Structures are given as structure tokens and as C-alpha cells.
Amino acid sequence: MKDELRHIEERANEELGQIGDTKTLEDFRVRFLGKKGEITAILKQMGKLSAEERPAMGQLANKIRANIENALNKKKEELKSAQEAKRLKDETIDVTLPGKAARVGRPHPLNATLEEIEEVFLGMGFNIVEGPEVETDHYCFEALNMPKHHPARDTQDTFYINENVLLRTQTSSVQIRVMEQTKPPIRIISPGRVYRSDAVDATHSPLFHQIEGLVIDKGITMADLKGTLELLMQRIYGDEAKVRFRPHHFPYTEPSAEVDLMCFNCHGKGCSMCKQEGWVELLGSGMVHPKVLADCGIDPEVYSGFAFGIGLERITMGRYSINDMRLLYENDMRFLEQF
């Protein structure tokens, strides 16, 4: 038994010198020192010895166990130190190397223009209101004085989910919701995505963005509308910006007007950008139709108001001299990095 213990100690020391990782070291511990290990197996045979031999053999077994445990703990510390040194080497950072410049994002031209327009209107006391893009026929058409089969619907052909649910063609639906739920005075803009079944080209898209404005109060006139829009254009295009109003027809406003901006390229002289007219059509506007007010529970004998709708893409294209609307949606970094 004494020879077996000496042999176990020799093998343990030999194997321990060859171990290079913690998993193998743990397997070593279980095999030599575990409950079913080789040292324990020897100790279980102590009952076969005489009473005189047991103390000496027990003392030797405990000494060999302690030697193996000490050697194992020393090996564990060596492996730990080696792993720490390797980790420090692998994670070493050369602080003398030049840093990598981080790419900083910037707002998309549409978002930048929208934020600028919102700041102008917030400065004039307007609130910003949003609404659902999936609308009912009532809010999108009927409440705007366009009953079913009204010819004005033809120019706003859109995407129908069913006979009564559709993707909104304009954010005027938000204005109707506000008028139904809020008592005057009302002063809001409603930006958002709108949809029409237009073919894609340089100036049209089935998806685009509108910013619609609404003011309802006592004594509101066309002069208030004109002053509001002139201030907006001057803030966006500069103090020299000029607008003109042309009579038009919208079912939900009376009187109605198209608003043009003097061409920022030729300053009214005529060029290819404005098709030699000197002016660029910008938005539709007018005084809110009395029937629309009445249907929303607002007395048209007491209150009046104006409304307008601006195409965000058209404003952005003019702001940055972009000649093709599709560039705004293609996510081409060569284009977007210019802004």
C-alpha cells in the first residue's frame, strides 16, 4: 500500500507538470483527490491493515494528499497568472495610434425642413397635432364637403382598404378631428404622410408629406391667411421672398386660392425651373367653408377661419434646389451627405 501511495504521488506530479488549462486541472483534481479518486480508494483499504500499521499508513496517505493539493493549488495560480497575462496582451491598446473619426449623422432634408417650419409656426403660437394615416371616408372626404361621387375626389384618388377605410390623401382629416373635439380658438398645424395613387416621376409620388394649417377664431380674414403665409415664406426663403394668391376652388374652403412663390432662381424673370412663368406653385389655401364649420359643431355666424396645405417635398426641393423628388426617397448617401 505504501508503494501504491508513492506511485500515485509520482504520477500526480508528472501529470501536473503537463497540464495547461483549468478544465484539465479540474479533471486531475477529481481523479486523484475526489470522493472516488485514487487517494480515497487507497484509504478505503485501511481496514485490511493491522492496528499497528494503520497510524503510519494514515499519516503517509494524508501527507501525500496534502502534497498533491499544494501542488495543484500552485498550478492553479500559475494558470491564472498566465491567462491574465494573455488577456492583458490581447487587450493591449496602443494609445499612440490615431483615433478613428466617428461618422456623425444629420437630419434628412425632409426632416430638417419640417423642423424649421414647425419652429416658425410654434413661434406664432400654433400647436402641432398628428392623426392616423389610415382614415375613414368621413374624415378624409365627407366632412370636407366632398360627399360620395363628388368630382373633386377624382384628383385625390387614393388607396382603399375597403369601401369606408382608406389611406388619407391629406392631413385635413386631422383638422376635422380637432374641430370636432376642440372649441375655438384653434391654431394648429398637422404634418404627416399622405397617399395618392400617382405615378412616380420627378415631381410625383404615391407617398409624400403634407403640412396643413388651421386657424379658427372670431374675426379671422384672408388678410390673416396672407400675412401668415408671407411670414412663413420669408423665414424659409429669406426676406426677399414674395408670394401671390390666385383664385381657385376647393370644396372645403370659400373663397379659395392657390399660392405661388416668386421663383428663387430667376426672381420672377422666367427660367427653366419655373417653366418661364417667374412663379412656382406652392400650396392651396382659403377660408374654411361655413358648411365644414357647421358640420363640426362650430357656428359659422360667430367664427371664421383659414386653412392651407403645404407639400413638404415641394418646399424642401425649393429650399435645397433639388430637381427630382425621387432623390429624397432613394437613401443614396452620395446625395444625402450634401446636406
Side-chain angles (χ1 to χ4, degrees):
M1 188 176 290
K2 183 184 296 185
D3 292 339
E4 289 182 32
L5 287 172
R6 296 293 186 189
H7 182 62
I8 289 173
E9 184 177 21
E10 290 175 5
R11 283 194 299 106
N13 289 331
E14 182 179 349
E15 289 187 23
L16 202 58
Q18 299 175 1
I19 293 176
D21 61 86
T22 55
K23 184 180 184 306
T24 306
L25 187 65
E26 177 62 16
D27 293 340
F28 170 88
R29 185 193 68 77
V30 172
R31 183 153 48 84
F32 282 94
L33 304 176
K35 292 181 179 180
K36 297 182 180 180
E38 295 187 24
I39 297 294
T40 304
I42 294 295
L43 292 175
K44 287 181 179 180
Q45 300 177 25
M46 295 283 287
K48 299 178 182 180
L49 301 175
S50 63
E52 292 78 11
E53 293 176 319
R54 288 175 189 170
M57 194 61 64
Q59 186 178 6
L60 177 61
N62 289 331
K63 181 181 178 181
I64 290 175
R65 175 190 285 274
N67 291 341
I68 294 175
E69 286 180 348
N70 291 335
L72 184 144
N73 291 332
K74 183 179 179 181
K75 186 68 174 181
K76 185 183 293 185
E77 290 299 320
E78 291 176 1
L79 291 176
K80 183 178 178 181
S81 298
Q83 290 176 345
E84 182 70 15
K86 183 178 183 301
R87 186 179 68 83
L88 291 173
K89 182 179 178 181
D90 293 342
E91 297 179 3
T92 299
I93 299 174
D94 187 350
V95 295
T96 65
L97 290 174
K100 294 181 179 179
R103 296 188 68 182
V104 180
R106 58 177 69 92
H108 189 280
L110 288 174
N111 288 337
T113 304
L114 175 59
E115 289 175 4
E116 187 174 354
I117 292 173
E118 288 178 342
E119 285 297 321
V120 174
F121 281 109
L122 287 172
M124 291 191 285
F126 282 67
N127 293 319
I128 300 172
V129 183
E130 296 182 347
E133 294 179 20
V134 179
E135 266 293 4
T136 64
D137 188 86
H138 169 76
Y139 285 107
C140 200
F141 291 123
E142 293 181 17
L144 289 165
N145 204 23
M146 288 185 285
K148 292 186 185 299
H149 310 299
H150 192 288
R153 291 191 180 206
D154 294 342
T155 59
Q156 296 188 25
D157 190 21
T158 186
F159 302 95
Y160 283 81
I161 297 171
N162 58 43
E163 186 177 348
N164 192 50
V165 180
L166 61 152
L167 299 182
R168 66 185 181 187
T169 62
Q170 52 194 357
T171 57
S172 300
S173 55
V174 181
Q175 298 176 350
I176 297 298
R177 290 178 177 273
V178 171
M179 286 191 285
E180 287 182 346
Q181 300 169 10
T182 308
K183 293 182 179 180
I186 297 170
R187 189 180 288 111
I188 65 162
I189 59 169
S190 50
R193 284 187 294 263
V194 297
Y195 306 85
R196 297 183 189 179
S197 55
D198 292 338
V200 177
D201 60 27
T203 57
H204 295 86
S205 170
L207 178 151
F208 58 101
H209 299 75
Q210 271 196 337
I211 306 169
E212 303 223 6
L214 174 71
V215 173
I216 304 291
D217 205 346
K218 296 178 180 178
I220 298 297
T221 67
M222 284 287 287
D224 298 303
L225 170 62
K226 189 172 187 292
T228 299
L229 294 179
E230 283 183 340
L231 176 60
L232 173 65
M233 294 306 131
Q234 288 170 1
R235 291 288 180 86
I236 295 176
Y237 294 109
D239 294 338
E240 301 301 317
K242 294 183 180 179
V243 297
R244 73 176 183 184
F245 283 61
R246 290 182 290 107
H248 196 70
H249 169 73
F250 298 110
Y252 33 86
T253 54
E254 180 60 37
S256 304
E258 287 279 9
V259 180
D260 300 331
L261 175 71
M262 179 180 286
C263 180
F264 42 82
N265 187 52
C266 66
H267 303 288
K269 297 178 181 178
C271 66
S272 59
M273 184 171 290
C274 62
K275 299 178 182 179
Q276 306 302 325
E277 294 183 4
W279 297 84
V280 178
E281 182 182 323
L282 204 59
L283 59 96
S285 65
M287 302 300 295
V288 180
H289 198 291
K291 185 177 187 304
V292 174
L293 291 174
D295 289 346
C296 292
I298 298 174
D299 188 350
E301 298 296 327
V302 178
Y303 295 100
S304 60
F306 65 76
F308 58 86
I310 307 172
L312 179 59
E313 281 79 1
R314 185 168 295 181
I315 293 287
T316 303
M317 290 169 71
R319 187 86 168 81
Y320 297 106
S321 300
I322 300 170
N323 59 8
D324 193 324
M325 184 176 180
R326 290 167 291 194
L327 293 170
L328 296 169
Y329 301 120
E330 291 175 346
N331 295 325
D332 189 331
M333 292 303 297
R334 296 171 299 177
F335 169 75
L336 295 175
E337 285 176 345
Q338 299 177 65
F339 303 98

